[in-house]
């Protein structure tokens, strides 16, 4: 019994080391004054300085941010609608096709999606004259297409857990379906919407393959810049950039964790008062 | 045949041919796929009535209630409330409110907001909403906790809030789906009376679903006993206990000793049934309305049986057996008497004295008798 | 009725039959259509139709123009609709060994990586699922966290580690295990490491979900019947966790087959994978029809795994 636990936990420890060591090393070496990876040239922040002076990277980062926010917002909207359809409408024409179109993008190799999207845009431009060329618009459309499925899955599971009688009670008290959704359902599934938003934001700001297909001149996203640099080899500037990303993500997660913990504490406290009264 | 001599309640609109029902359910059926959950139900419920739907789990009580609320559309038949056909009326336009078994309190709203929710939908002015919320919260004694969220309430408190939320809208009908099922026994008994009191004060028609027969008997003016999607009998608690219409109702409500036999004689004032199992004639104090020779069941409640050690003079309304089990319940004792056929009959005797030399014990040979007026013929 | 209870007067009207619920169901259907239409239309337009276009272009011929392919449907001289189906692209895929090797290699790399993920991920998922309830969520979060940092950056991190002058070689040289730097970057090995590293969370999550749901009393029952822990694991836990294993494997295998970034950054010039082939056909050779044919062929390869994935997905959707 004891041995088994030790074996299990060491497997876990090994797994975590595997997951985190590369990131930690990357962050450490971003402060390396030397350009060479293996040579430790002392602590320095000069790569950060260089990074912040790099106009191209900053522009790309700004574009990526805009694309990610737009994408996350549109995907959350569409994904939530899709989740409502899947959970609340039991039977409708074309349900199989619909579920297929929701689950397929979850696993579809990006390179196929990217190619297919580009060919669509080209064909559309030929036929309708829209979208004229590839730009931020095409990137956003492509990103929404694959991230909306992820939002759907996240919201779907929350919605399925939600007690249907809450919605029925609201309707019983005189609220029309749309109102019920806005006033009852939405606040209750809000955490899932937030999670979906963050997830699609991350997917978008991280995507290189699909963006490479549907991007046009003048709309280079951050991952495309990073990718083209990295293809040429390890670069300390990218180390610095990576560290910044890791820092932002860590801070975000820390804040998220604190909020969750507070809510949990609140919940426990309120349960206590309830049992005191009960 | 003569109606049973049940004492007339003051409130009995169902006996008044001129009374107009508030809810009229006509030939309502509901099937899910090829499973029929509710089957051709006809039912009238009168204004101000406390009506209970009683039945075993899965018999379709909730489904019937949900059709009244508008969450399910009947596959067949029609429902009208206050003379208005409800078929095409969605839940949010029906003059009924439902109290859910899970209470369905909105977790992101305070008690006050929960209660005000329905009134807001009616676009009532703010000041009137506040007034009304206060009034109903006072009614259920929850005013002091108005600012709490549902998670911060105990089960009993949640139940009150759910009730207040429905009452706030002053519906014509209040539907309650097992409103007390989540409460512990003590609280449940206390709340039963409270609920009846509240119903009395607000004068709203209550339709309650329950599978607890004691609860139904305590609270309701009338009870509809359901079995496998159909209503077997509708009547006051006294009627369904004393005069069950079918063997199912007899068995479901309380305990029933039932003896099969054939009709030997059917008169205006009594029926005589030959019972092979008891090797006796059973005289029942009312007409059965069936032909001589027809198979029937005679039902006798345990508390209506008398026990004696000596054989009676005539083998009429009499069973003979051996005490095989005794359950001492404090106020009464239940004796299980095994007949010659091997079947067990239950007899309930009040424990009048602390101890008694006369008290029956295991393996005592006894004769059970009963009065013709205390038994009932049920046609299979 | 055998006793004297008053019978209800029979109702005058016969019960009405209802086919579909009348006006209300009608308006409800329209409301539903309004909700379902935006995502449905979006996916049909931007997900379904593109695949049909890919299919179409895979049958057309390359031409030096914009766009660089010939229309499939044209008008012949005497206004006869003419459809030119060109199977040449597919023939080309079969004739050139490069493509076939790339397919086989993709399958091999994806398959072996999936296996590695399973071997590393299963003990992790099992350990988390059996950890005290309070720390399960944090432990699981730790698995998911790296996913929130950039995928590209995580792959890139391995470049610095696996390089000839990289950290791993430096470490091995320092320990004296080797005296020559090992060539690790630009090999298949690096690709395996990269895929396993990037996709491990996708294996752990569904595995954890099934293991956590599993009724521990089943194991107790097994132990009660005299089953030793390992036997109990093999005959109870393992079979019951198969759905999680399938879902996780599909989540790793399918994207891994089409992976482009990892082999491009970590693999050598001879690490052939279809994703890379497609990329170079498209971007370097500008041969859209052949790239489309490669995509179609890849899809054909992935149809079975995707169907399996959808099946498990639907099943778990129904039970939850
Ligand atoms: N939406 C539905 N789809 C299919 N079957 C259903 C549905 N709702 C109810 N049923 C079935 O109809 C039957 C009656 O259900 P109902 O909920 O009315 O029972 P009930 O009398 O309220 O039981 P309980 O006392 O357990 O609440 C059950 O067998 C149930 O499985
Ligand atoms: Mg029920």
């Amino acid at each position: 019994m004891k041995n088994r636990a030790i074996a299990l936990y060491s497997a876990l420890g090994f797994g975590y080391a595997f997951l985190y060591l590369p990131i930690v090393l990357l962050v450490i070496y971003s402060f390396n004054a030397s350009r060479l990876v293996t040579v430790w040239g002392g602590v320095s922040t000069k790569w950060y300085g260089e990074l912040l002076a790099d106009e191209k990277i900053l522009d790309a980062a700004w574009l990526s941010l805009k694309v990610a926010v737009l994408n996350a917002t549109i995907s959350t909207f569409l994904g939530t609608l899709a989740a409502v359809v899947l959970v609340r409408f039991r039977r409708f024409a074309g349900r199989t096709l619909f579920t297929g179109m929701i689950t397929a993008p979850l696993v579809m190799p990006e390179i196929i999606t990217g190619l297919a999207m580009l060919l669509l845009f080209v064909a559309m431009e030929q036929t309708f004259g829209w979208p004229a060329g590839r730009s931020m618009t095409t990137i956003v459309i492509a990103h929404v297409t694959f991230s909306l499925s992820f939002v759907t899955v996240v919201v779907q599971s929350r919605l399925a857990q939600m007690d249907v009688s809450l919605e029925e009670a609201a309707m019983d008290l005189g609220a029309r379906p749309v109102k019920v959704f806005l006033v009852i359902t939405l606040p209750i599934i809000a955490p899932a919407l937030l999670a979906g938003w963050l997830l699609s934001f991350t997917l978008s700001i991280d995507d290189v393959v699909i963006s490479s297909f549907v991007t046009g001149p003048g709309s280079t996203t951050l991952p495309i810049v990073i990718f083209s640099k990295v293809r040429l080899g390890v670069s300390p500037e990218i180390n610095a950039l990576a560290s910044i990303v890791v820092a932002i993500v860590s801070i975000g997660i820390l804040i998220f964790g604190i909020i969750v913990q507070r809510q949990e504490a609140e919940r426990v406290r309120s349960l206590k008062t309830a049992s005191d009264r009960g | 045949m003569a109606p049973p001599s049940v004492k007339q309640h003051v409130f009995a609109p169902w006996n008044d041919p001129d009374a107009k029902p508030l809810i009229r359910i006509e030939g309502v059926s509901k099937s899910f796929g090829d499973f029929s959950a509710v089957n051709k139900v006809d039912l009238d419920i009168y204004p101000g009535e406390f009506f209970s739907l009683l039945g075993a789990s899965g018999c379709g009580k909730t489904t019937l209630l949900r059709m009244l609320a508008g969450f399910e559309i009947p596959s067949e038949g029609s429902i009208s409330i206050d003379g208005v056909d409800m078929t095409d009326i969605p839940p949010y336009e029906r003059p009924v409110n439902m109290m859910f078994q899970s209470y369905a309190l909105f977790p992101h709203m305070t008690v006050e907001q929960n209660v005000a929710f329905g009134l807001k939908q009616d676009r009532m002015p703010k000041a009137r909403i506040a007034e009304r919320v206060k009034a109903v919260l006072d009614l259920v004694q929850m005013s002091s906790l108005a600012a709490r969220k549902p998670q911060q309430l105990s089960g009993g408190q949640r139940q009150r809030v759910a009730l207040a939320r429905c009452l706030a809208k002053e519906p014509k009908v209040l539907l309650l789906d097992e409103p007390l099922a989540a409460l512990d026994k003590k609280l449940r008994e206390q709340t039963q009376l409270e609920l009846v009191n509240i119903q009395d004060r607000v004068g709203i028609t209550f339709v309650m679903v329950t599978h607890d027969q004691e609860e139904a008997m305590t609270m309701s003016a009338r009870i509809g006993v359901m079995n496998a999607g159909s209503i077997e009998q509708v009547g006051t608690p006294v009627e369904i206990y004393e005069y069950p219409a079918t063997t199912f109702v007899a068995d479901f409500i309380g305990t029933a000793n039932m003896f099969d036999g054939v009709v030997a004689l059917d008169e205006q004032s009594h029926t005589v049934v030959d019972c092979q199992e008891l090797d006796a004639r059973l005289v029942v104090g009312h007409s059965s309305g069936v032909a001589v020779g027809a198979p029937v069941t005679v039902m006798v409640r345990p508390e209506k049986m008398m026990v004696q050690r000596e054989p009676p003079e005539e083998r009429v309304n009499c069973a003979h057996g051996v005490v095989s089990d005794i359950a001492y319940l404090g106020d009464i004792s239940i004796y299980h008497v095994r007949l010659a056929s091997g079947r067990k009959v239950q007899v309930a005797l009040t424990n009048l004295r602390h101890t008694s030399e006369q008290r029956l014990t295991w393996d005592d040979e006894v004769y059970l008798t009963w009065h013709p007026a205390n038994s009932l013929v049920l046609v299979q | 009725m055998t006793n004297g209870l008053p019978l209800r007067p029979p109702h005058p009207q016969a019960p009405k039959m209802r086919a579909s619920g009348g006006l209300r169901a009608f308006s409800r259907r329209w409301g539903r259509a309004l909700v379902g239409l935006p995502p449905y239309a979006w996916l049909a337009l931007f997900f379904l139709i593109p695949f049909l276009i890919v299919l179409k272009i895979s049958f057309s011929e390359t031409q030096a123009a914009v766009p660089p392919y010939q229309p499939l449907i044209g008008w012949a001289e005497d206004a006869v609709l003419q459809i030119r189906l060109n199977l040449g692209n597919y023939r080309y895929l079969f004739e050139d060994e490069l493509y076939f090797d790339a397919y086989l290699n993709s399958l091999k790399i994806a398959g072996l990586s999936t296996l590695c993920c399973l071997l590393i991920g299963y003990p992790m998922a099992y350990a988390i699922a059996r950890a005290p309830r309070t720390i399960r969520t944090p432990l699981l979060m730790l698995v998911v966290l790296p996913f929130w940092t950039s995928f590209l950056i995580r792959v890139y991190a391995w470049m610095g580690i696996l390089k000839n002058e990289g950290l791993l070689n430096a470490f091995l040289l320092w320990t004296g295990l080797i005296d020559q730097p090992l060539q690790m970057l630009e090999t298949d090995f690096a690709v395996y490491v990269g895929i396993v590293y990037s996709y491990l969370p996708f294996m752990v999550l569904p595995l954890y979900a099934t293991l956590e749901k599993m009724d521990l009393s089943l194991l107790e029952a097994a132990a009660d019947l005299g089953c030793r822990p390992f036997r109990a694991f093999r005959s109870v836990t393992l079979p019951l966790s198969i759905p999680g294993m399938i879902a996780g494997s599909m989540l790793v295998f399918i994207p891994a087959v089409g992976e482009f970034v990892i082999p491009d950054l970590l693999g050598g010039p001879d690490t052939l994978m279809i994703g890379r082939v497609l990329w170079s056909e498209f971007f370097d050779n500008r041969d859209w029809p052949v790239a489309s044919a490669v995509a179609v062929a890849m899809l054909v390869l992935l149809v079975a795994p995707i169907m399996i994935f959808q099946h498990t997905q639907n099943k778990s959707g129904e039970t939850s």
Side-chain angles (χ1 to χ4, degrees), chain B residues 32 35 37 55-64 72 101 177-178 209 211:
Chain B
F32 298 107
F35 173 78
S57 186
C59 69
K61 308 177 296 279
T62 300
T63 307
L64 186 56
E72 310 279 1
Q101 186 170 352
D177 192 357
E178 312 212 11
V209 159
H211 59 243

Side-chain angles (χ1 to χ4, degrees), chain B residues 1 4 15 24 26 42 44 70 73-77 85 87-88 91 233 239 243-244 377 379, chain C residues 1-6 8-9 11-13 15-25 28:
Chain B
M1 78 189 228
N15 286 337
R24 176 157 269 216
E26 293 178 285
D42 286 310
D44 283 348
I73 303 172
S75 330
E76 214 176 282
D85 184 10
T87 308
D88 285 331
Q233 185 178 5
E239 282 166 356
Y243 306 98
V377 175
V379 180
Chain C
M1 299 280 279
T2 56
N3 55 44
L5 289 177
R8 265 164 36 85
H11 291 296
Q13 299 149 308
K16 291 178 252 173
M17 281 294 283
R18 199 160 295 117
S20 63
L23 190 75
R24 197 179 137 203
R28 225 175 49 169

Side-chain angles (χ1 to χ4, degrees), chain C residues 212-296:
Chain C
E212 203 256 357
K213 258 191 307 202
M214 203 181 292
D215 197 353
L216 269 182
S217 62
L218 283 179
L219 283 184
E220 278 162 14
D224 194 49
L225 296 171
C227 217
R228 304 180 54 109
F230 184 71
R231 280 277 310 277
F233 173 80
R234 221 185 49 195
S235 54
V236 179
T237 313
L238 207 56
L240 284 176
S241 58
I242 283 176
M245 283 161 56
I246 292 177
S249 299
M250 292 303 124
L251 277 177
V252 175
F253 179 79
I254 300 169
V257 167
E259 187 50 63
F260 162 71
V261 173
I262 295 173
D264 196 62
L265 291 183
L266 301 180
D270 54 340
T271 309
L272 276 178
M273 285 188 78
I274 15 183
R276 269 183 113 181
V277 171
L278 198 163
W279 181 279
S280 72
E281 284 298 344
F282 186 84
F283 285 103
D284 306 336
N285 301 347
R286 282 189 64 74
D287 192 339
W288 293 16
V290 168
S292 302
V294 172
V296 171

